[in-house]
Amino acid sequence: MIKSISIKQKLIGVLTVVILGFLAIGFAYQAALKVDDDAFIAARHLNQIGALADRVRMGMLDAKESQGRFLLTHRIEAVEQYRNAIKAVDRDIAELERATTEAQSQQLISQLRERVQGYKSGFERLVQLKQDYGLNAESGQLGKLHQAINLLELH
């Protein structure tokens, strides 16, 4: 049977097989490029999420630094810096929430948001109590006590 096929037909058959082979290699290469592109996009997305998580962590460190400065100095400027840091953390958490789609990640972000809110409300309550008590000898209840003592000393 092969002897009855002409050389021209044999060459066309071989050429057809070679072309089909190259087409198969091209399709395989195209599929590999698609997988590579998808992996690159996924890696970039994960890097963005990691960067947002780092920004949340740094924002919380800034807030804690400002909180410590307020507790040491009783300066209200430190409270404003704390509030600005917490606002930035809230924005980063919202952006992190938009960047993730998995239910487990959403649940963790929700827990993170609740903890930040608890931290924020606790510190705001502490600031209010410190202001009521008096940030220095001239303000709040402490200031009133000092005034009363000064009046007693004068009489």
Side-chain angles (χ1 to χ4, degrees):
M1 178 164 161
I2 292 184
K3 290 185 181 184
S4 65
I5 300 175
S6 70
I7 292 180
K8 181 180 174 183
Q9 290 172 332
K10 288 179 185 177
L11 286 174
I12 290 174
V14 169
L15 186 60
T16 303
V17 169
V18 169
I19 290 173
L20 288 175
F22 278 127
L23 284 173
I25 290 171
F27 286 130
Y29 181 69
Q30 196 74 5
L33 285 177
K34 172 83 170 106
V35 168
D36 191 40
D37 287 346
D38 291 345
F40 178 75
I41 290 169
R44 186 174 54 193
H45 184 70
L46 284 175
N47 284 339
Q48 289 172 340
I49 290 172
L52 285 169
D54 288 343
R55 283 183 12 203
V56 168
R57 187 177 301 115
M58 289 185 307
M60 287 305 296
L61 288 174
D62 288 344
K64 286 184 178 188
E65 177 190 4
S66 297
Q67 179 186 30
R69 196 171 329 108
F70 170 73
L71 293 173
L72 289 173
T73 64
H74 300 285
R75 303 199 89 157
I76 210 69
E77 296 87 22
V79 175
E80 289 306 315
Q81 291 169 344
Y82 165 85
R83 289 175 180 152
N84 290 335
I86 288 294
K87 284 179 189 173
V89 166
D90 286 338
R91 283 191 305 271
D92 291 338
I93 289 173
E95 195 173 334
L96 186 61
E97 191 170 40
R98 284 189 300 274
T100 58
T101 56
E102 297 107 21
Q104 185 179 12
S105 296
Q106 292 289 329
Q107 183 180 11
L108 291 172
I109 292 169
S110 177
Q111 289 173 358
L112 175 64
R113 176 174 275 122
E114 288 173 14
R115 289 183 181 174
V116 169
Q117 293 304 321
Y119 177 71
K120 181 168 57 172
S121 63
F123 182 65
E124 291 293 339
R125 179 72 180 131
L126 176 67
V127 169
Q128 185 61 47
L129 290 171
K130 285 267 193 192
Q131 286 176 325
D132 290 347
Y133 175 73
L135 296 176
N136 54 40
E138 291 83 35
S139 67
Q141 297 298 322
L142 187 60
K144 290 178 184 176
L145 182 63
H146 278 264
Q147 286 176 349
I149 291 171
N150 286 340
L151 286 174
L152 282 174
E153 289 176 350
L154 291 175
H155 289 58

